[in-house]
Amino acid sequence: MKWSLQKIEITVAAVVLVILLVWMGSAGVWSANGEIAEEEDKQVFREQIAVKMDVTKGLLGGTEKEYTYYTGLEGSVKKAPDEIVIAIDAGHGGADDGCVRRGVKEKEVNYKIAEKVQKKLMGLGYQVVMVRESDTFMTLTKRVKVARRAHADIYVSIHQNSSDITSARGVEAYYSGQNAKEDSKRLADLLHAQVLQETDANKRSIYEWEEFHVIRESVMPSCLIETGFLTNASERYRLSDDSYQEKIAEGIVSGIQQYFNPETE
């Protein structure tokens, strides 16, 4: 029996899709009676399939295998500023307010800082993808997919912190050891240092952390930065102030600049 290349590719794609469906079942997306349980689960299922199929395209000769990112270090792909794509993700959104204290909503603080970062980066000639473009809810899977499809060179997730200890304050950063570990750590280090320099905030730690989906599952170097504690009254006041948000944004942008221009570190 002779098979054409097209038939072979279709067969491989079908096999991969079956594997993906089995994988989704083992991940708990399907309910006990074999149907998808809730509407939100349906959306997560669709998005996870889409992300996995993006990877499948690479196996079948699509564009995914051509994905490259620029780190500015030896062995990386050199890009001019106007070729570099930066994904900025304002955490939470829509029905998900994040931390809320005294009327201050984390999702709003995150977005205001993200907008300032976007404006500054575009002024420097970078391409910027706002993962969340408005006050809308997005699943974590979809956030990653937006950055992947834009072929972002880095991914920066902006959040505010909270704690039962109301005296807790300061800036933290996170990166994943499972995803471009050394580049992600370097990105987290630079953003953390530059935000501290701009704001004179309390210095907290940088963590290798695998619990945050967006930095673990993105394929490009990524980090998540917590720029302050909304549960601390004095820090909450500063985080709500436009001029302080400008300082945070300036720190994030300075860290990104150093990341792509290591000679300036």
Side-chain angles (χ1 to χ4, degrees):
M1 178 184 294
K2 293 184 178 180
W3 285 52
S4 68
L5 180 60
Q6 183 179 12
K7 287 182 178 179
I8 292 172
E9 289 183 348
I10 291 173
T11 302
V12 172
V15 171
V16 171
L17 182 57
V18 170
I19 293 171
L20 289 174
L21 291 172
V22 173
W23 174 82
M24 293 300 293
S26 67
V29 172
W30 300 103
S31 65
N33 64 5
E35 296 180 357
I36 301 175
E38 301 291 342
E39 184 60 34
E40 184 175 333
D41 288 339
K42 290 182 182 180
Q43 182 63 21
V44 171
F45 174 79
R46 294 188 195 105
E47 291 168 2
Q48 288 179 332
I49 281 291
V51 169
K52 297 301 176 184
M53 288 307 292
D54 281 347
V55 175
T56 305
K57 289 178 185 176
L59 297 176
L60 299 180
T63 59
E64 185 72 20
K65 65 181 181 181
E66 299 169 4
Y67 196 113
T68 57
Y69 58 80
Y70 169 57
T71 66
L73 298 179
E74 183 179 355
S76 63
V77 178
K78 182 67 176 178
K79 293 184 179 180
D82 63 354
E83 296 175 313
I84 292 171
V85 180
I86 299 169
I88 301 296
D89 185 7
H92 305 285
D96 178 11
D97 291 331
C99 177
V100 181
R101 291 294 187 279
R102 299 286 184 176
V104 179
K105 298 179 179 180
E106 180 187 354
K107 68 173 183 178
E108 295 176 354
V109 176
N110 295 343
Y111 193 74
K112 288 177 181 178
I113 294 171
E115 281 190 312
K116 290 173 170 57
V117 170
Q118 177 194 31
K119 183 177 179 180
K120 293 175 186 293
L121 287 172
M122 290 179 68
L124 293 169
Y126 294 104
Q127 297 182 55
V128 181
V129 174
M130 290 287 278
V131 174
R132 174 164 72 86
E133 297 181 304
S134 60
D135 184 18
T136 54
F137 173 78
M138 294 178 69
T139 64
L140 302 178
T141 304
K142 186 172 183 178
R143 291 171 188 263
V144 170
K145 184 168 68 174
V146 169
R148 286 171 59 96
R149 288 189 170 176
H151 277 205
D153 291 276
I154 61 171
Y155 182 107
V156 177
S157 182
I158 299 172
H159 282 261
Q160 308 310 310
N161 221 330
S162 64
S163 174
D164 292 334
I165 303 172
T166 57
S167 60
R169 60 190 177 88
V171 179
E172 293 178 348
Y174 298 81
Y175 67 95
S176 169
Q178 297 182 39
N179 171 40
K181 178 177 179 179
E182 295 305 317
D183 294 328
S184 292
K185 181 180 186 302
R186 178 169 166 264
L187 180 63
D189 286 343
L190 290 170
L191 266 61
H192 185 256
Q194 291 303 306
V195 169
L196 288 173
Q197 182 171 309
E198 291 291 334
T199 62
D200 198 30
N202 182 50
K203 181 179 180 180
R204 294 176 66 88
S205 297
I206 300 170
Y207 300 95
E208 180 178 334
W209 195 256
E210 307 305 335
E211 301 304 315
F212 293 141
H213 180 97
V214 292
I215 58 174
R216 185 186 69 240
E217 299 300 326
S218 55
V219 296
M220 71 292 297
S222 58
C223 74
L224 183 150
I225 186 163
E226 303 263 13
T227 65
F229 282 77
L230 290 181
T231 46
N232 181 296
S234 61
E235 196 152 73
R236 180 172 63 247
Y237 176 80
R238 291 200 294 170
L239 290 166
S240 304
D241 180 68
D242 185 77
S243 61
Y244 189 73
Q245 292 172 3
E246 286 283 356
K247 291 180 180 180
I248 293 172
E250 187 62 38
I252 292 173
V253 171
S254 294
I256 290 172
Q257 273 280 75
Q258 288 189 2
Y259 179 84
F260 288 113
N261 300 277
E263 68 277 4
T264 65
E265 291 182 38

